[in-house]
Amino acid sequence: MMAERGGCALLESLPVEIRESLAELELELSEGDITQKGYEKKRAKLLARYIPLIQGVDPSLQTDTKLLGKSQITTTTNKQQRSRSTSSRDERFRSDQAFVSYADVHTEAVQAALAKYKERKMPMPSKRRSALVQSSVETYTPPESVSAPPDVTTGLLGNSHHERPQVASVRGVPRGFNSSILETADGVPVNSRVSSKIQQLLNTLKRPKRPPLREFFVDDFEELLEVQQPDPNQPKAEGSEMALLKGEPLGVVSNWPPSLLTALHRWGTTQPKAPCLTSLDTTGKAVYTLTYGKLWSRSVKLAYTLLHKLTSKNDSLLKPGDRVALVFPNSDPVMFMVAFYGCLLSDLIPVPIEVPLTRKDAGSQQIGFLLGSCGVSLALTTDVCQKGLPKAQTGEVVTFKGWPRLAWFVIDGKHLMKPPKDWYPHIRDASNDPAYIEYKTSKEGSTMGVTVSQSAMLAHCHALTQACGYSEAETLINVLDFKRDAGLWHSVLTSVMNRMHVVSIPYALMKVNPLSWIQKVNAYKARVALVKSRDMHWSLLAQRDQRDVSLGSLRMLIVADGANPWSISSCDAFLNVFQSRGLRPEVICPCASSAEALTVSMRRPPDLGGVPPGKVVLSMNGLSYGVIRADTEEKLSVLTVQDVGQVMPGATMCVVKMEGSPYLCKTDEVGELCISSNSTGTAYYGLHGITKNIFETTPLTANGDPVSSQPFIRTGLLGFIGPERLVFVVGKVDGQMVISGRRHSCDDVVATALAVEPMKFVYRGRIAVFSVNVLHDERIVLVAEQRPDSSEEDSFQWMSRVLQAIDSIHQVGVYCLALVPANTLPKAPLGGIHISETKQHFLEGSLHPCNVLMCPHTCVTNLPKPRQKQPDVGPASMIVGNLVAGKRIAQACGRDVSQLEDNDQAKKFLYLADVLQWRAQTTPDHLLLLLLNSKGAVTSSASCLQLHKRAERVAAGLLEKARLSVGDHVALVFPPGIDLIATFFGCLYAGCIPITVRPPHPQNLATTLPTVKMIVEVSKSACILTTQAIMRLLKSKEAAAAVDIKTWPTILDTEDMPKKKIAHIFRPSSPDTLAYLDFSVSTTGILAGVKMSHSACSALCRSIKLQCELYPSRQIAICLDPYCGLGFALWCLCSVYSGHQSILVPPLELETNASLWLSAVSQYKVRVTFCSYSVMEMCTRGLGTQTGTLKSRGVNLSCVRTCMVVAEERPRISLTQSFSKLFKDLGLSNRAVSTTFGCRVNVAICLQGTAGPDPTTVYVDMRALRHDRVRLVERGSPHSLPLMESGKILPGVKVIIAHTETKGPLGDSHLGEVWVSSPHNANGYYTVYGEEALHADHFNARLSFGDTQTVWARTGYLGFLRRTELTDASGERHDALYVVGSLDETLELRGMRYHPIDIETSVIRSHKNIAECAVFTWTNLLVVVLELDGPEQEALDLVALVTNVVLEEHYLIVGVVVIVDPGVIPINSRGEKQRMHLRDGFLADQLDPIYVAYNM
């Protein structure tokens, strides 16, 4: 710091012209007219002669010497002050020119804070190059002067856009198949960019900062959110209770007019030639000077016109007291003034508002609300302004969004009527009726109108006249908006009271020539000027032209935003430069005001009773606890504030506590300033409830006594009374963020962010800071516009530095930092950032940032404690506990098959091959199978005899051509069809073991063929049976690129089989021998083949037959894939067993004709039909808008008694419900749709069938589920999750719920693993690719307690049983089985068990652009992958929304958000997500994501 101070002193001593050239350079850099490099070069050149003094700077502070240029005009008293960069971030205007901070010691503090940080390596987000287009030249609005277009190619060329690997159809390649490419032995991917970034992320997360937390509040359940404990060392207020602060009394003036209009009348008639208002054009030329005579005559003309000429059906359109909108541009003060006084003269209440430029102006809707609540139906405007407003086709001005219908009246001279000679407006004395309404926007963006009464308007003019010492004929230069606030009070109202001459400087002129106001002070020898910090600031940037101006005539320079914490540096810097040009220090008069209380306080020159100005350096830490501590130690974390003078004449002030009842503060406490005076606003127009709160507060002493009989108004300003009875303001109530019990001001955080490297990075200093509520606390969000030429690396580095700076100086974490392209944030009327609208965009996901950094790990400190597992309770005590609690053991069973009527037939039908032969003899011509094509026509069919004959031919071919022997394995690679069924029975006839395999996809061999090859190899198939086309494909050149085609076993084409009969059909020695192998890839990527014996096959078919009442006379429609599980059994086995006719609809055909399945169901009047979730989804998506067309084509679904979705997962209740609702119009009963449940160990455990009660739905508490508990709640209660019963338990099936670890039985409504015992359980795994040892007990598990004899199979699914009030067919009470999810898929996080689907559902709900989502964990981080269904530019909106929703609903912090294209999340044939597969693809960098965000 010593070196810096030396540098500062050096800059102080530089010659004036060198200092001016340096300031000019700063301006060029800030405007983007020069690069950082060019700036440094020129700066070094300027300082070359003086440089030896700076050579000794410590290298760690070297960067800071660049910033010393800003400190060139610092006074020594400011040295440790944390004064502000004057980006002048007030609501009216957010520095739309670049800013540089003079005297900005805050910058030094920030740089020093950053130097203390060791460079923490944070993983940089990765972004697909096309997503960078945002910073292209088109979206860049250049600054006012651009010498050369910025180079936006940075970072766009490094990485050309790769062709995307097609992961979409990785339909079930098992995990670990390409293990050599993907993982090392311990499962960590090799040299993958992603995994190294995750490692970096984990390293940064190893030291999370958690303040000490002890107590909890119960969030309605056992997950306790931690509550911030007060820090025992926090500073406490120690002063005495404050006393009321009274301003001087309002002086009595002998000829003070009884109303403002009386004054106007007096000057208009006695001094008609006196100048009232001069307006300027954008070159600074005076366009027009309105005299008092003209103001009076034109206002009278307007009043007459409004009262007499605006009629409808001979009734006057306006009545006294009606509200009228004034819509005038900032460049036309003359017309505004005429309109304002015209309204007052005609007893109408003017409501000045901004000119709406487009239908979508930021905040325009809220202005509409204001106009509506004030009952405005007429708007006054000028000819030019009216022409510029957007028009409808009729030529009328459009109705803006949210606005009431308005009549527009143009008040230019030619439209006004001359009143008759004897007509005079009626001028009354000031009363308590409303005079005008001024609008005010709250923190949330809602706009209220503050009513100011006639007497308050008069009293306010009186108080301002006395405080400012205004006298007749003085000249006032006004740079502020004349429609509201200080601009209106001084330059439209008080000026008329005192016959002053106002020169109004338009905003457009300030943008072109920031010095204009100073030149006008000089030209008009003005006595008073009314400005904001940014106006002083801009004039410093243009120092070169200031040589010949003098400010000696000024007696008051009123700084209207003097209460803002950053205004002090502008005031000091301005004085430093202009003192040499006649500016006296006592002339600078900061004041404080608010929309409700009008002017609150003002500093005055000594001749008007002012005291010397005050300045205090406060500890930021103290302020965050609401306590005033002059800072002594921490030089970095301080706030320097200047006084805003004394209380206004005639007013009384006190400071009350910010929360709870309005008790007076202690003298060293920060609170809200309250004012009692007759010159304040009186109400929010039309809003009585909040009016009482703000306008009628009664401050109380510590004993609870009111301090005064007069009501006080809350000003919305936070501050305290300092020495010499001076008022100090440290922030606004609206700008406060309360984070973990400490208060931080948005403006302070903005200042810190700006001090990091403003010129280099932030476009024109445009930064918005606000807080959002996530998980019961406020979280800070910072949004900045980045300069168009900044690279990705720049942005990321700037973001990390901002986080560190805010952490150091404010001791608070930023939750989300977003960068948006230049010029894209919503603007407030005069160029500032519209904060509430920006916040709205952020929460809706429509901000479209180009970079995002979320830091939930550092900010969110109130998560529930991770769950500690209890030392396991033994299974025996579980049973005893359940008995004591009156709970039965959770077990249930389907009907008992041994007692049923078809026992004789069941004994005969032990082997399916025998059944087919028997049917071929007894009912040879009975049609068993019909296969439909995409047009709905039958392409092939098979009767019992035809199927038998085709099977015989296949058997003969296997024995003769392939020379297979009994027991050999045969892979059947066929498209869905009758060939597949015939070859299956052919294998049984020949004594071979069939394995059905989905054929490879010709367009996607690379990902689908390896799965085929693997099943063939793992199943040890001796032969492949297939069609000619597939045979060619398997041996093709393309296939050779994906697998080794030389190692295929014998491949036979079934079309080329001998037309021979087989000598004798094979008959197995026992029903327990192997019939077929069923191979499938689980959702976790494991390829598992299960063995099905002949007895299991016939038992399965019998159970389905009984449950669905299937007989030869029945027809069922099946739209399923026929390769594994229940789909295979229904397609290939059940028709042969039960003799019913199956209408086969291959799901692939629905891609060309979505209505195929439903049309078939309707055409054949099918009562029972089966489909998969993917089919249901295709129908809801593809036919959503076509139900009318289908109805007209005669599609009628009223025949359907039951439509079952075949699934191995929790029922997708939202999909089944939307399907039912959608096709209700076609006659589908709302009771028809249900689901089935099966898994690897037993393909059909539950199936609704045709009899029995409807499936029930229960609502469970999602938080209890995480603790493996089931707690039923009411529908719609928070955290409720609907679960639908998975169908009825099949005949012969017994189910029990067992503890996943102790393997003891559980009670009713306990979550545990579903175990099943049934004659159709599979007989074991043939192989589990890669994980044989782990699954040995899946098929022969026994309970550790209770019934230890029964052998069960473990399904691997979590669920619970619940006895319902319904009765089933046998008259018993019905037991419902609810499946919650696969055990393999669950995520163990924070000691709790999460089901991915629940997190995914929340994520998909969070934004309309999220098409699909999948989650998995990696090294204990939660990774969320989402498919973006929208423009890539909108991808980054999703990062914050996803992080928020997962925090709010699941109490989890998302570690990585990956945004990908639609179709990247792999899905298997059953429509289930392959999450592990996705994980491997992500870690191996194969997803080509649009954006990857690593949350800090």
Side-chain angles (χ1 to χ4, degrees):
M1 285 307 273
M2 286 310 293
E4 273 191 58
R5 287 188 187 154
C8 251
L10 161 78
L11 288 163
E12 296 276 325
S13 62
L14 288 175
V16 176
E17 58 273 16
I18 292 287
R19 297 215 311 249
E20 285 179 357
S21 309
L22 283 174
E24 192 62 33
L25 259 184
E26 291 277 8
L27 175 61
E28 285 184 26
L29 177 67
S30 67
E31 284 288 301
D33 294 351
I34 185 175
T35 62
Q36 180 74 24
K37 212 168 175 180
Y39 161 78
E40 281 161 20
K41 218 169 173 177
K42 286 191 174 175
R43 191 166 182 281
K45 208 165 164 187
L46 282 171
L47 294 175
R49 276 184 289 171
Y50 314 94
I51 218 73
L53 297 162
I54 310 184
Q55 292 305 321
V57 176
D58 164 12
S60 72
L61 293 171
Q62 201 78 53
T63 51
D64 302 351
T65 53
K66 294 177 197 167
L67 293 152
L68 292 178
K70 299 179 191 167
S71 311
Q72 61 208 37
I73 352 181
T74 332
T75 55
T76 43
T77 55
N78 284 355
K79 228 32 220 161
Q80 82 265 54
Q81 116 195 5
R82 172 179 185 263
S83 54
R84 278 314 196 291
S85 54
T86 44
S87 81
S88 174
R89 298 165 309 264
D90 58 321
E91 304 85 48
R92 191 166 80 116
F93 180 94
R94 189 52 153 272
S95 169
D96 223 10
Q97 292 282 47
F99 60 89
V100 180
S101 175
Y102 292 82
D104 205 341
V105 180
H106 188 42
T107 302
E108 294 169 22
V110 168
Q111 300 302 332
L114 289 175
K116 287 203 308 193
Y117 263 85
K118 295 209 171 34
E119 197 48 58
R120 278 200 308 179
K121 264 314 251 178
M122 299 198 198
M124 201 172 131
S126 54
K127 183 187 283 192
R128 185 192 289 173
R129 287 305 171 206
S130 54
L132 298 183
V133 209
Q134 287 220 341
S135 43
S136 71
V137 187
E138 290 84 81
T139 58
Y140 163 57
T141 314
E144 267 64 40
S145 53
V146 179
S147 50
D151 170 24
V152 289
T153 52
T154 343
L156 286 170
L157 308 171
N159 178 347
S160 61
H161 184 53
H162 300 298
E163 192 54 42
R164 282 182 61 193
Q166 272 208 319
V167 190
S169 47
V170 178
R171 301 274 194 248
V173 175
R175 174 159 135 237
F177 183 55
N178 281 346
S179 53
S180 55
I181 320 166
L182 288 183
E183 303 179 335
T184 55
D186 51 1
V188 179
V190 198
N191 62 24
S192 135
R193 219 179 43 211
V194 173
S195 50
S196 60
K197 287 198 174 172
I198 288 188
Q199 204 41 56
Q200 260 179 30
L201 177 55
L202 286 173
N203 293 343
T204 58
L205 298 181
K206 275 185 186 145
R207 311 176 292 279
K209 292 206 295 207
R210 290 186 66 123
L213 295 160
R214 279 168 225 85
E215 204 179 294
F216 305 93
F217 64 83
V218 178
D219 186 21
D220 174 43
F221 193 52
E222 52 257 340
E223 300 205 2
L224 303 156
L225 287 171
E226 305 201 9
V227 171
Q228 190 69 41
Q229 277 308 98
D231 176 357
N233 307 320
Q234 76 180 51
K236 303 243 184 339
E238 294 152 6
S240 54
E241 186 172 277
M242 69 157 300
L244 290 185
L245 180 62
K246 290 192 186 311
E248 65 193 58
L250 265 180
V252 178
V253 184
S254 52
N255 60 349
W256 190 251
S259 76
L260 189 55
L261 294 177
T262 315
L264 172 63
H265 178 233
R266 178 205 290 174
W267 305 131
T269 48
T270 63
Q271 303 270 355
K273 294 273 190 304
C276 167
L277 173 67
T278 299
S279 70
L280 309 174
D281 64 11
T282 48
T283 62
K285 242 176 47 222
V287 189
Y288 182 79
T289 294
L290 180 72
T291 60
Y292 277 92
K294 273 278 178 240
L295 175 60
W296 169 248
S297 63
R298 287 170 68 177
S299 303
V300 168
K301 240 170 144 176
L302 175 60
Y304 179 76
T305 310
L306 290 174
L307 290 175
H308 296 88
K309 294 301 163 196
L310 287 184
T311 55
S312 62
K313 304 197 185 109
N314 297 334
D315 271 359
S316 178
L317 203 61
L318 297 164
K319 297 175 186 57
D322 280 355
R323 279 73 53 208
V324 175
L326 268 46
V327 185
F328 292 87
N330 183 265
S331 53
D332 202 345
V334 172
M335 295 299 259
F336 174 81
M337 207 156 177
V338 170
F340 192 88
Y341 281 104
C343 286
L344 294 185
L345 283 170
S346 44
D347 262 349
L348 300 171
I349 300 169
V351 184
I353 58 169
E354 307 302 335
V355 178
L357 298 177
T358 64
R359 300 187 73 149
K360 287 207 289 277
D361 262 12
S364 159
Q365 212 168 335
Q366 279 77 16
I367 292 284
F369 169 74
L370 167 79
L371 296 177
S373 65
C374 292
V376 172
S377 57
L378 176 72
L380 304 184
T381 187
T382 66
D383 203 21
V384 176
C385 184
Q386 200 265 0
K387 286 196 174 99
L389 291 171
K391 307 286 187 300
Q393 286 163 341
T394 55
E396 289 177 13
V397 176
V398 296
T399 299
F400 297 97
K401 193 174 173 198
W403 283 39
R405 261 191 84 75
L406 294 182
W408 291 81
F409 181 63
V410 174
I411 66 157
D412 295 49
K414 58 179 185 245
H415 299 282
L416 301 184
M417 311 287 300
K418 202 168 179 188
K421 289 226 163 48
D422 55 352
W423 188 84
Y424 282 106
H426 178 56
I427 296 177
R428 288 200 300 261
D429 289 358
S431 68
N432 286 329
D433 294 336
Y436 68 92
I437 293 173
E438 183 173 328
Y439 80 84
K440 165 231 163 111
T441 306
S442 75
K443 182 179 183 175
E444 287 72 43
S446 53
T447 301
M448 281 95 76
V450 175
T451 309
V452 180
S453 68
Q454 296 168 9
S455 54
M457 175 170 75
L458 186 69
H460 190 218
C461 289
H462 191 167
L464 285 178
T465 303
Q466 186 169 326
C468 303
Y470 284 140
S471 57
E472 279 184 41
E474 272 193 313
T475 304
L476 170 108
I477 305 288
N478 173 37
V479 193
L480 306 188
D481 181 2
F482 49 76
K483 295 191 284 295
R484 53 192 291 229
D485 216 66
L488 174 70
W489 309 330
H490 288 264
S491 75
V492 176
L493 307 176
T494 311
S495 61
V496 168
M497 208 77 211
N498 296 294
R499 192 173 66 79
M500 292 162 64
H501 177 199
V502 176
V503 179
S504 188
I505 313 272
Y507 169 68
L509 170 57
M510 280 300 286
K511 278 176 83 170
V512 182
N513 174 10
L515 267 186
S516 50
W517 71 272
I518 294 182
Q519 291 159 352
K520 295 302 164 204
V521 167
N522 187 43
Y524 285 90
K525 296 287 172 278
R527 306 275 288 135
V528 183
L530 184 58
V531 298
K532 285 200 173 181
S533 318
R534 71 131 206 268
D535 307 317
M536 300 160 77
H537 184 77
W538 283 7
S539 51
L540 292 173
L541 294 180
Q543 269 175 309
R544 183 175 291 166
D545 318 320
Q546 292 165 356
R547 302 211 170 94
D548 47 357
V549 296
S550 157
L551 296 178
S553 63
L554 280 182
R555 62 177 185 78
M556 273 187 100
L557 175 58
I558 301 170
V559 185
D561 60 346
N564 281 340
W566 55 76
S567 98
I568 181 168
S569 54
S570 295
C571 294
D572 290 350
F574 190 80
L575 180 62
N576 273 321
V577 171
F578 285 99
Q579 209 161 355
S580 58
R581 314 242 164 85
L583 181 69
R584 303 188 303 286
E586 66 275 11
V587 165
I588 295 181
C589 297
C591 68
S593 62
S594 81
E596 292 82 359
L598 310 188
T599 311
V600 173
S601 69
M602 179 175 280
R603 193 190 288 175
R604 327 211 190 139
D607 55 333
L608 293 173
V611 294
K615 193 176 280 188
V616 286
V617 180
L618 302 175
S619 145
M620 285 289 259
N621 187 46
L623 277 181
S624 72
Y625 290 109
V627 176
I628 299 151
R629 289 287 175 269
D631 192 84
T632 44
E633 303 104 41
E634 283 187 86
K635 294 295 171 276
L636 295 183
S637 195
V638 294
L639 172 67
T640 305
V641 280
Q642 62 184 355
D643 71 282
V644 282
Q646 295 134 300
V647 184
M648 291 298 285
T652 305
M653 178 186 281
C654 65
V655 185
V656 301
K657 296 201 186 295
M658 293 179 253
E659 264 138 19
S661 304
Y663 285 105
L664 288 180
C665 286
K666 295 182 174 163
T667 48
D668 61 344
E669 213 174 347
V670 172
E672 184 172 4
L673 305 183
C674 292
I675 289 284
S676 174
S677 131
N678 56 5
S679 61
T680 59
T682 50
Y684 290 128
Y685 190 90
L687 304 168
H688 306 296
I690 46 178
T691 289
K692 198 159 179 54
N693 244 346
I694 300 293
F695 291 88
E696 299 166 32
T697 295
T698 309
L700 308 169
T701 63
N703 316 327
D705 306 324
V707 297
S708 144
S709 57
Q710 293 297 313
F712 277 71
I713 288 190
R714 288 177 174 271
T715 63
L717 300 173
L718 298 178
F720 58 94
I721 311 294
E724 300 282 351
R725 298 162 59 84
L726 288 174
V727 179
F728 287 87
V729 172
V730 294
K732 296 194 184 78
V733 172
D734 271 357
Q736 293 293 296
M737 304 179 285
V738 183
I739 289 124
S740 307
R742 287 174 60 214
R743 292 175 174 276
H744 303 273
S745 154
C746 295
D747 290 329
D748 294 351
V749 177
V750 170
T752 302
L754 281 171
V756 172
E757 279 167 305
M759 295 302 90
K760 217 160 137 183
F761 191 78
V762 179
Y763 178 68
R764 298 192 156 186
R766 289 172 63 80
I767 292 183
V769 168
F770 50 86
S771 63
V772 294
N773 237 304
V774 182
L775 200 66
H776 305 290
D777 201 356
E778 287 183 43
R779 316 281 176 196
I780 298 179
V781 178
L782 188 150
V783 184
E785 289 189 2
Q786 69 173 32
R787 290 176 48 148
D789 51 355
S790 38
S791 69
E792 291 291 290
E793 286 70 22
D794 285 348
S795 344
F796 190 68
Q797 194 187 357
W798 183 81
M799 289 160 98
S800 350
R801 288 170 67 96
V802 166
L803 292 178
Q804 292 164 2
I806 291 172
D807 185 63
S808 275
I809 285 177
H810 303 269
Q811 282 94 47
V812 69
V814 175
Y815 175 68
C816 173
L817 214 159
L819 296 175
V820 297
N823 265 327
T824 56
L825 287 179
K827 288 192 173 73
L830 288 185
I833 295 176
H834 200 292
I835 302 284
S836 59
E837 197 95 348
T838 303
K839 175 172 173 174
Q840 199 53 37
H841 284 324
F842 173 79
L843 291 172
E844 286 168 358
S846 55
L847 198 59
H848 310 331
C850 47
N851 255 314
V852 168
L853 188 54
M854 300 282 302
C855 308
H857 290 280
T858 33
C859 292
V860 180
T861 53
N862 61 335
L863 282 173
K865 287 233 168 78
R867 173 178 168 219
Q868 304 296 314
K869 288 250 167 87
Q870 299 302 324
D872 274 325
V873 182
S877 37
M878 292 283 272
I879 284 201
V880 173
N882 281 324
L883 290 172
V884 171
K887 280 192 181 166
R888 59 183 206 109
I889 294 297
Q891 58 183 3
C893 53
R895 282 185 289 167
D896 182 357
V897 279
S898 59
Q899 308 300 314
L900 293 172
E901 67 287 351
D902 67 340
N903 270 346
D904 300 344
Q905 190 194 15
K907 289 190 183 106
K908 278 199 302 224
F909 282 14
L910 273 180
Y911 302 105
L912 280 171
D914 292 1
V915 180
L916 180 55
Q917 292 167 68
W918 177 76
R919 289 200 186 283
Q921 282 161 4
T922 53
T923 53
D925 301 328
H926 173 61
L927 267 187
L928 274 185
L929 307 161
L930 299 177
L931 179 74
L932 304 187
N933 65 7
S934 61
K935 295 196 172 68
V938 176
T939 51
S940 63
S941 61
S943 65
C944 301
L945 184 60
Q946 285 167 333
L947 188 63
H948 167 64
K949 287 197 160 158
R950 282 166 77 171
E952 282 192 315
R953 274 181 62 193
V954 170
L958 285 172
L959 297 176
E960 288 183 19
K961 284 189 84 169
R963 307 237 176 272
L964 296 186
S965 28
V966 169
D968 279 348
H969 294 188
V970 179
L972 313 179
V973 185
F974 287 93
I978 294 175
D979 280 350
L980 180 70
I981 305 170
T983 48
F984 177 83
F985 281 95
C987 288
L988 296 189
Y989 280 11
C992 297
I993 312 296
I995 297 109
T996 47
V997 183
R998 173 191 304 281
H1001 196 294
Q1003 268 75 56
N1004 194 6
L1005 281 180
T1007 47
T1008 55
L1009 191 59
T1011 312
V1012 175
K1013 182 87 165 108
M1014 188 164 45
I1015 294 176
V1016 169
E1017 284 176 0
V1018 170
S1019 63
K1020 304 192 175 65
S1021 295
C1023 166
I1024 296 175
L1025 283 185
T1026 187
T1027 63
Q1028 205 168 358
I1030 293 174
M1031 180 167 160
R1032 277 204 296 273
L1033 191 63
L1034 294 181
K1035 295 180 170 175
S1036 67
K1037 246 196 328 225
E1038 292 77 20
V1043 298
D1044 179 1
I1045 57 173
K1046 295 196 182 76
T1047 54
W1048 287 121
T1050 316
I1051 303 180
L1052 289 189
D1053 163 14
T1054 43
E1055 292 149 35
D1056 188 24
M1057 288 284 174
K1059 290 202 163 117
K1060 271 193 183 169
K1061 256 178 132 178
I1062 187 169
H1064 75 283
I1065 289 172
F1066 174 78
R1067 196 155 199 277
S1069 54
S1070 119
D1072 298 330
T1073 53
L1074 186 58
Y1076 70 95
L1077 293 179
D1078 181 331
F1079 269 90
S1080 138
V1081 179
S1082 77
T1083 50
T1084 51
I1086 297 169
L1087 175 68
V1090 292
K1091 298 185 280 199
M1092 289 291 285
S1093 65
H1094 287 281
S1095 60
C1097 280
S1098 51
L1100 171 65
C1101 292
R1102 182 186 180 197
S1103 278
I1104 295 171
K1105 174 194 165 190
L1106 293 168
Q1107 195 82 330
C1108 297
E1109 301 177 350
L1110 299 175
Y1111 308 108
S1113 57
R1114 284 278 156 86
Q1115 276 184 323
I1116 69 169
I1118 302 169
C1119 189
L1120 288 168
D1121 274 322
Y1123 300 107
C1124 60
L1126 184 54
F1128 164 78
L1130 290 165
W1131 187 284
C1132 296
L1133 311 179
C1134 290
S1135 274
V1136 170
Y1137 186 90
S1138 310
H1140 60 270
Q1141 190 183 82
S1142 292
I1143 294 141
L1144 307 175
V1145 183
L1148 261 174
E1149 304 288 2
L1150 265 69
E1151 287 179 13
T1152 42
N1153 173 10
S1155 64
L1156 172 64
W1157 166 53
L1158 295 179
S1159 305
V1161 166
S1162 162
Q1163 183 190 339
Y1164 290 95
K1165 300 201 170 30
V1166 170
R1167 289 174 65 179
V1168 176
T1169 179
F1170 292 89
C1171 69
S1172 65
Y1173 281 125
S1174 8
V1175 165
M1176 200 165 253
E1177 206 151 20
M1178 272 195 261
C1179 291
T1180 41
R1181 282 194 180 161
L1183 303 174
T1185 52
Q1186 296 176 28
T1187 45
T1189 326
L1190 291 174
K1191 201 168 186 175
S1192 63
R1193 292 215 315 252
V1195 175
N1196 181 351
L1197 302 178
S1198 55
C1199 53
V1200 178
R1201 265 180 68 182
T1202 176
C1203 162
M1204 287 169 272
V1205 189
V1206 172
E1208 298 191 7
E1209 56 180 304
R1210 176 200 300 178
R1212 298 190 203 172
I1213 201 160
S1214 57
L1215 179 57
T1216 54
Q1217 282 176 350
S1218 51
F1219 179 83
S1220 298
K1221 271 189 200 136
L1222 188 60
F1223 297 109
K1224 190 174 77 181
D1225 294 355
L1226 300 180
L1228 181 67
S1229 150
N1230 60 351
R1231 301 167 54 182
V1233 179
S1234 62
T1235 70
T1236 70
F1237 173 62
C1239 60
R1240 290 285 67 205
V1241 299
N1242 184 323
V1243 297
I1245 297 170
C1246 299
L1247 192 148
Q1248 183 60 31
T1250 45
D1254 288 340
T1256 52
T1257 297
V1258 292
Y1259 291 83
V1260 299
D1261 188 310
M1262 209 183 323
R1263 292 161 308 173
L1265 277 186
R1266 293 171 203 156
H1267 295 261
D1268 286 349
R1269 284 200 279 279
V1270 177
R1271 178 165 166 257
L1272 298 185
V1273 291
E1274 288 300 312
R1275 177 183 179 171
S1277 59
H1279 303 279
S1280 64
L1281 172 72
L1283 291 175
M1284 185 162 95
E1285 181 187 348
S1286 292
K1288 302 286 161 290
I1289 296 172
L1290 279 165
V1293 176
K1294 285 202 297 194
V1295 167
I1296 193 160
I1297 305 295
H1299 193 286
T1300 49
E1301 279 151 23
T1302 63
K1303 299 187 184 164
L1306 290 173
D1308 229 2
S1309 293
H1310 268 259
L1311 190 69
E1313 187 179 5
V1314 179
W1315 287 15
V1316 60
S1317 163
S1318 116
H1320 64 256
N1321 274 10
N1323 301 58
Y1325 286 123
Y1326 180 73
T1327 172
V1328 173
Y1329 187 82
E1331 304 193 10
E1332 283 90 345
L1334 293 177
H1335 299 84
D1337 71 335
H1338 277 193
F1339 290 89
N1340 44 17
R1342 292 174 195 265
L1343 290 172
S1344 56
F1345 191 83
D1347 165 14
T1348 54
Q1349 295 312 304
T1350 312
V1351 174
W1352 301 88
R1354 299 178 58 178
T1355 62
Y1357 282 81
L1358 289 171
F1360 61 93
L1361 280 166
R1362 182 176 154 268
R1363 178 150 277 187
T1364 65
E1365 296 304 311
L1366 308 167
T1367 50
D1368 56 28
S1370 59
E1372 296 290 315
R1373 275 175 67 192
H1374 166 64
D1375 293 314
L1377 173 66
Y1378 299 91
V1379 174
V1380 176
S1382 154
L1383 195 55
D1384 285 350
E1385 293 260 305
T1386 55
L1387 312 172
E1388 282 268 341
L1389 289 161
R1390 302 178 57 77
M1392 289 171 279
R1393 201 195 296 279
Y1394 287 87
H1395 296 272
I1397 185 73
D1398 297 328
I1399 300 174
E1400 290 158 0
T1401 305
S1402 299
V1403 168
I1404 290 170
R1405 256 201 338 259
S1406 69
H1407 196 277
K1408 63 180 192 315
N1409 283 0
I1410 301 176
E1412 187 51 277
C1413 163
V1415 303
F1416 52 82
T1417 51
W1418 176 246
T1419 55
N1420 271 342
L1421 284 177
L1422 178 63
V1423 181
V1424 176
V1425 180
L1426 33 117
E1427 293 182 352
L1428 171 72
D1429 182 14
E1432 278 186 14
Q1433 279 76 0
E1434 297 177 16
L1436 278 75
D1437 282 313
L1438 308 178
V1439 178
L1441 295 184
V1442 166
T1443 308
N1444 292 358
V1445 77
V1446 176
L1447 255 174
E1448 283 277 347
E1449 297 185 8
H1450 304 278
Y1451 303 160
L1452 286 178
I1453 292 178
V1454 176
V1456 186
V1457 180
V1458 186
I1459 301 169
V1460 296
D1461 296 302
V1464 166
I1465 295 173
I1467 286 177
N1468 66 16
S1469 58
R1470 292 188 297 275
E1472 297 162 338
K1473 297 170 196 166
Q1474 305 279 89
R1475 297 182 183 90
M1476 290 308 112
H1477 208 87
L1478 180 69
R1479 186 186 78 177
D1480 296 341
F1482 168 64
L1483 294 171
D1485 274 351
Q1486 292 168 351
L1487 300 187
D1488 182 27
I1490 296 168
Y1491 193 80
V1492 182
Y1494 298 93
N1495 286 349
M1496 294 292 137

